[in-house]
Amino acid sequence: MSTRMLSISDSQVRIYRDGEELALKAARLFARLADQYVVGSGRFTVALAGGSTPRAMFKLLAASPFIETVPWESIYFFWGDERTVPPDHPDSNYGMARETLFSKAPVPEENIFRIPAEMEDHDAAAEHYAARVMQFFLTGPGASRTMTAPLVNMPRFDLVLLGMGPDGHTASLFPATTALEVSDRVAVANWVEKFNTWRITLTAPAINNARNITFVAGGADKTETLKNVLEGEYQPDLYPSQLIRPGNGTLLWMVDETAAKLLSAK
Ligand code: 6PG
């Protein structure tokens, strides 16, 4: 079955048969962008999504042909968000990436910028992460291209990978939470009442300054929300994924047929 393509508002939507094809095509996109940026500028900077969807994609990247062909030593890894747990906790987004990908791919430790979300002081954790991100983009290996960024006080990731929750959240930008309003910081601690927990998350402006933003979302629990996010009224407090609009970059939704079932075919 060929991939269905939609263009909804200014988002490109690619619809794949099922979760398996979705993960494979997401892995191929990652590899293609990695090659493009490493060839073009010697490095590839990516902020990973958490949750369960990326697991299948990371496992594919950690196996042939990707493990042999992706320029791992020139990729710099960040996260869009993290749970306030230790890095070896089952809920850790970093822990999932280490288990599925970094335990196999030859990524130098110094290329991995984990969010220190286990810190007791959650604001300090967000500030520490934001400072490390900006140090990388302003003075480190990412520096030479940052000054061309639309917002020089924000990172300019080559790729931000995102998931979408059934409630329309992305990263840890949850409905009706204070992080949705933050426009002057790279990362913040965000209290999430529904989970009775703190999360550390990139802010929408930090995500929107990226060159490429890609959502990867599948499954029946996303169907109605995807319809509302892509085709419904603009209500970002209810559907924070609607906040994601790159200022000067691409926005791609990679979804499966189940999640896309209610989308208007165009
Ligand atoms: C997290 C993620 C979060 C995730 C969505 C979708 O820390 O949980 O960053 O934003 O992408 O909740 O999660 P699933 O992929 O598990 O549906």
Side-chain angles (χ1 to χ4, degrees):
M1 174 191 285
S2 66
T3 302
R4 280 199 300 143
M5 314 270 276
L6 301 177
S7 182
I8 300 174
S9 63
D10 50 2
S11 306
Q12 197 197 23
V13 183
R14 291 182 197 164
I15 304 169
Y16 299 101
R17 181 183 60 249
D18 53 24
E20 193 177 331
E21 188 186 22
L22 178 61
L24 176 60
K25 295 298 177 71
R28 284 184 183 164
L29 174 91
F30 178 98
R32 179 170 57 75
L33 287 174
D35 282 344
Q36 176 186 327
Y37 284 99
V38 169
V39 166
S41 58
R43 73 194 63 80
F44 177 51
T45 58
V46 55
L48 299 179
S52 59
T53 302
R55 181 180 282 272
M57 171 191 170
F58 294 171
K59 283 185 170 177
L60 288 170
L61 286 169
S64 197
F66 301 107
I67 194 70
E68 298 98 359
T69 54
V70 168
W72 298 108
E73 67 293 335
S74 303
I75 303 179
Y76 295 82
F77 287 91
F78 303 81
W79 274 263
D81 71 321
E82 186 57 276
R83 291 82 179 278
T84 47
V85 296
D88 56 356
H89 188 282
D91 290 348
S92 167
N93 291 332
Y94 161 82
M96 187 271 278
R98 171 144 313 272
E99 176 211 331
T100 53
L101 183 56
F102 299 140
S103 57
K104 298 177 178 66
V107 178
E109 278 306 316
E110 62 271 23
N111 288 26
I112 298 172
F113 295 78
R114 173 177 84 78
I115 301 175
E118 70 278 13
M119 290 171 66
E120 284 296 310
D121 181 336
H122 304 309
D123 290 331
E127 285 157 19
H128 179 87
Y129 179 57
R132 285 194 75 204
V133 169
M134 288 317 293
Q135 185 193 18
F136 173 88
F137 280 96
L138 290 178
T139 60
S144 59
R145 294 176 295 146
T146 305
M147 298 322 284
T148 61
L151 300 174
V152 291
N153 60 341
M154 287 289 168
R156 182 118 161 106
F157 294 106
D158 294 322
L159 172 63
V160 175
L161 278 172
L162 294 171
M164 184 191 73
D167 61 357
H169 83 263
T170 189
S172 282
L173 300 170
F174 283 84
T177 57
T178 54
L180 302 187
E181 313 302 328
V182 178
S183 59
D184 59 350
R185 273 174 287 163
V186 172
V188 292
N190 195 28
W191 173 252
V192 185
E193 186 64 32
K194 70 184 288 188
F195 293 149
N196 190 37
T197 189
W198 286 93
R199 292 279 190 95
I200 310 295
T201 186
L202 288 180
T203 58
I207 294 169
N208 286 336
N209 204 38
R211 290 185 171 84
N212 301 278
I213 303 172
T214 301
F215 280 91
V216 183
D221 64 340
K222 316 284 170 80
T223 307
E224 195 170 336
T225 303
L226 189 65
K227 171 81 172 177
N228 290 328
V229 165
L230 289 179
E231 299 184 1
E233 194 188 329
Y234 183 66
Q235 306 175 88
D237 203 52
L238 200 53
Y239 298 110
S241 293
Q242 292 182 328
L243 286 172
I244 305 307
R245 284 258 170 285
N248 177 15
T250 70
L251 174 60
L252 170 64
W253 285 80
M254 301 179 81
V255 299
D256 66 12
E257 284 288 357
T258 305
K261 201 163 53 181
L262 297 179
L263 295 185
S264 319
K266 285 187 176 60

